Amino acid sequence: MTVNNVMTVEKPADQAVEMRTLTYREAVREAIREAMKRDERVFLMGEDVGHYGGCFAVSMGLLEEFGPARIRDTPLSESVFTGAGIGAALGGMLPIVEIMTVNFSLLAADQIINTAATLLHMSGGLFNVPVVIRMATGGGKQLAAQHSHALEGWYAHIPGIKVVVPATLEDARGMLWPALMDPDPVLIFEYSTLYNMKGELPVEPVAVDIDKAVVRRPGQDVSILTYGACLFKALKAAEELAEDGIDAEVVDLRVLRPLDDETIMRSLRKTHRAVIVDEGWRSGGISAEIATRIMEQGFYELDAPVARVCGVEVPMPYAKHLEDEALPQPHEIVAAVRETLG
Amino acid sequence: MSAIPVEAEKKVTQPSDVVLDRAEALDLLYQMILIRRFEEKCAELYSAQKIRGFLHLYIGEEAVAVGIMKMLRPEDAVVATYREHGQALARGVPIGPVMAEMYGKQEGCSRGRGGSMHIFHKETRFYGGNAIVGGGLPLAVGFGLADQMRFDPHVTACFFGDGAVAEGEFHESMNLAVLWNLPVLFICENNLYGMGTALEYAESETDLAAKAASYRMEAESVDGMDILAVLKAAKRGVEWIRNGNGPYFIEACTYRFRAHSMFDAELYREKTEVETWKAQDPIERFSEMLREEGMMNDADLAAIEERVAREVAESVEFAEAGTWEPIEDLTRFVYSEPDPNRRV
Ligand SMILES: Cc1ncc(C[n+]2csc(CCOP(=O)(O)OP(=O)(O)O)c2C)c(N)n1
Ligand SMILES: [Mg+2]
């Protein structure tokens, strides 16, 4: 691997890779289609995934392609269909459970936290749960306080589940399969503001991992550690900083549990400064965990205190100007970096 | 046997007759038309990007909210869903602040913090505006509990959709409300779809009144496109509750004429089905009835439309003239602010 996994898609030098343009939404759909074709045990279930085409249109057309046995519309019953996904996984299937948004996953939190996350341990290692649970997360669409929160960092508190957050198209397409092949429950969080994002992907699927953080922009002066929709805000901030000769490294964490300490510390050893950016609320959030790990593992590398840019601690307001203020923005990242540099 | 033996005390209620005088009848029609025109305006304003986020229209279902609210008293409480403009207006939440809320202005009834899905209003005891499907039912049970424990003779009207019936909250609420004999009027607006999922794909038993009745809930099903039928059911329900008989369940069979929200391509239902239901338009049916009874003529209807047009236009003016809450106030209302007059 080259400079800290800079590219997830490695193009062989000797052959031209055929590329095509698609959206993040289409990349997720492709991932589901490929998994369904690859393994008969894979099926998708959730609210409105079939006839409606998915609340974010991710599964549009899949019912027609795979039929109602494998693209299953469920009643509005988050607890039972998530629990049924766990049971079906134990029973030999490879379910992809779709929960519309992370806020609604709270109706299934008991099944996720008290069952999926604990079963292997409670059974003394007898029963593992290879379920995948996908859900949308994040704010930015003026959907107010019951549809906009970013609770993935909170799920990352739970031992027994893995938490991944694809931000790029390659990850949106690539992370589902390794998640399905993982013997344990994997939660995939898709930032709803990314569904319309367009980009180029190789026609042939490229394998990606669900273990490592990835450096999306190498730099020397400061490490911006982030994931999800904030990755693009961080990249934008890095561009702005570059105009002033500040060379920021942007690390896409990708996996919130287990965290890839190694990539984080490697970046820190290079830059000696860290700014953590996430949409979750500051108190007890994932950024607090990362900052603590930096204290524990890299304290003497630091030339400045670790800084955080997080969601403001308020349930999400509807009005646009207030929502914008509640979410991390590039100018705040720029300001935090400048302050870190003194 | 339940802890509180209610069965023996239950009083038989006769089918209620509803008598409306001309002024009352025209007022009900006015309210339905107000909701219709208000929401048509909202759809327009959504296209103009004045209203953002999710917008769920009630068009086609107006008879349900208007009919139920008519039978409530000012002291009663209302709990609704994210499709609640109709309930808010019929309950008497002022139209200007409702529109301003959708604009996100601080003159909105929830200061622009909530938007279309979260309308709240203290004076009319309108407790929202809950966008978690089924989320309002336990809350309504709690209002009933408070009323019972305080000996307050109130009714709590709780609106929810057919989709909510699949959630655990529905079942837990039905059970507890009957078990504890609580004064709650449950109104299930069965419009045949939860988003794009038809009732038969969501329910093993599609007779929703029977489902409620399985909890020993007094339950009935009515034609929700006929305001008179809704009024009668509401009267029976409210009388039943006020007589101390415990909760009451009304399934109002209705239909939304518009998409689920502004993002819905409506791939899950046939245009012909929508047309069939449009022929049952509750406003047209009631208008027809009033004409036949000689209670309304063209001039009356024109006067209503004119008044409605003026009020809707004024609500838009009110919202347009509204102001943005200062950004410095962002973290207000996370916790209660000190208030010397507050008594907990
Ligand atoms: C717990 C929960 N799950 C999913 C959703 C997304 N959602 C919003 S409205 C809706 C359909 C609800 O249907 P119904 O209860 O019949 O009410 P209607 O919209 O038809 O009035 C869905 C699935 C939600 N808001 N809350
Ligand atoms: Mg419905």
Side-chain angles (χ1 to χ4, degrees), chain A residues 215-291:
Chain A
V215 174
R216 299 290 182 198
R217 181 190 195 281
Q220 297 296 325
D221 299 334
V222 57
S223 301
I224 305 178
L225 311 171
T226 188
Y227 68 91
C230 283
L231 170 65
F232 302 97
K233 295 179 180 179
L235 289 169
K236 202 166 166 216
E239 265 171 48
E240 200 180 319
L241 290 161
E243 286 168 22
D244 287 348
I246 299 168
D247 187 18
E249 172 148 306
V250 178
V251 179
D252 177 4
L253 297 165
R254 297 171 77 246
V255 187
L256 301 189
R257 186 178 189 99
L259 276 168
D260 174 12
D261 293 353
E262 200 187 308
T263 303
I264 296 171
M265 298 310 154
R266 192 187 308 130
S267 177
L268 195 75
R269 281 195 295 273
K270 187 164 66 161
T271 65
H272 309 286
R273 288 178 167 84
V275 174
I276 310 165
V277 184
D278 87 293
E279 235 183 81
W281 294 301
R282 177 184 299 254
S283 300
I286 191 74
S287 57
E289 175 61 28
I290 295 165

Side-chain angles (χ1 to χ4, degrees), chain B residues 16-303:
Chain B
S16 309
D17 250 340
V18 173
V19 183
L20 298 171
D21 63 28
R22 181 171 174 275
E24 281 179 306
L26 290 183
D27 184 58
L28 292 172
L29 183 65
Y30 151 76
Q31 289 191 46
M32 290 201 285
I33 294 177
L34 181 68
I35 296 169
R36 176 76 52 100
R37 302 285 173 257
F38 177 82
E39 289 206 321
E40 286 167 353
K41 192 66 184 177
C42 289
E44 217 179 289
L45 291 165
Y46 196 89
S47 306
Q49 305 201 353
K50 295 279 187 181
I51 299 175
R52 309 304 304 269
F54 282 157
L55 178 69
H56 305 92
L57 301 180
Y58 195 57
I59 290 176
E61 308 185 31
E62 296 92 341
V64 184
V66 172
I68 300 286
M69 298 304 175
K70 169 80 176 158
M71 294 300 161
L72 298 184
R73 296 176 184 160
E75 318 80 67
D76 293 335
V78 179
V79 175
T81 70
Y82 47 85
R83 193 185 300 288
E84 89 286 34
H85 313 146
Q87 282 81 0
L89 294 181
R91 181 59 182 166
V93 181
I95 188 169
V98 175
M99 185 60 94
E101 186 56 37
M102 302 209 211
Y103 270 64
K105 299 284 180 81
Q106 60 180 335
E107 290 75 9
C109 50
S110 313
R111 288 183 143 260
R113 301 275 176 146
S116 158
M117 298 194 285
H118 305 293
I119 290 168
F120 291 86
H121 193 244
K122 206 167 195 168
E123 291 72 20
T124 56
R125 299 197 70 212
F126 194 82
Y127 292 99
N130 197 318
I132 300 299
V133 171
L137 283 103
L139 198 75
V141 170
F143 280 119
L145 180 60
D147 288 337
Q148 186 188 62
M149 295 180 78
R150 294 164 53 100
F151 303 101
D152 283 333
H154 305 155
V155 169
T156 297
C158 177
F159 291 84
F160 53 94
D162 49 290
V165 172
E167 295 281 11
E169 276 73 5
F170 170 82
H171 299 271
E172 297 175 29
S173 299
M174 292 295 110
N175 182 51
L176 198 61
V178 176
L179 187 71
W180 288 358
N181 203 36
L182 301 174
V184 183
L185 179 63
F186 293 101
I187 305 104
C188 178
E189 298 173 316
N190 180 1
N191 59 13
L192 297 176
Y193 295 88
M195 227 163 121
T197 300
L199 193 63
E200 64 263 32
Y201 294 123
E203 290 295 328
S204 59
E205 170 58 84
T206 52
D207 181 342
L208 304 183
K211 268 194 133 102
S214 75
Y215 290 94
R216 298 183 145 211
M217 173 85 65
E218 197 67 19
E220 65 170 296
S221 181
V222 294
D223 178 354
M225 308 305 264
D226 174 4
I227 190 162
L228 287 184
V230 176
L231 285 165
K232 286 179 195 167
K235 186 155 185 256
R236 280 190 294 269
V238 167
E239 278 172 3
W240 174 269
I241 295 166
R242 292 208 205 278
N243 285 334
N245 296 311
Y248 197 93
F249 179 98
I250 297 171
E251 177 200 18
C253 300
T254 183
Y255 199 80
R256 67 172 155 71
F257 294 170
R258 299 292 187 101
H260 168 75
S261 72
M262 306 309 276
F263 295 103
D264 173 7
E266 292 189 74
L267 304 174
Y268 50 84
R269 62 183 192 182
E270 300 291 338
K271 288 234 157 47
T272 52
E273 180 185 292
V274 183
E275 290 314 312
T276 311
W277 277 91
K278 279 187 176 169
Q280 298 293 319
D281 188 321
I283 294 176
E284 276 167 30
R285 273 177 73 178
F286 192 46
S287 304
E288 200 94 322
M289 206 181 305
L290 293 180
R291 281 182 204 280
E292 276 170 22
E293 295 284 325
M295 288 169 101
M296 184 181 75
N297 59 30
D298 289 348
D300 296 323
L301 186 60

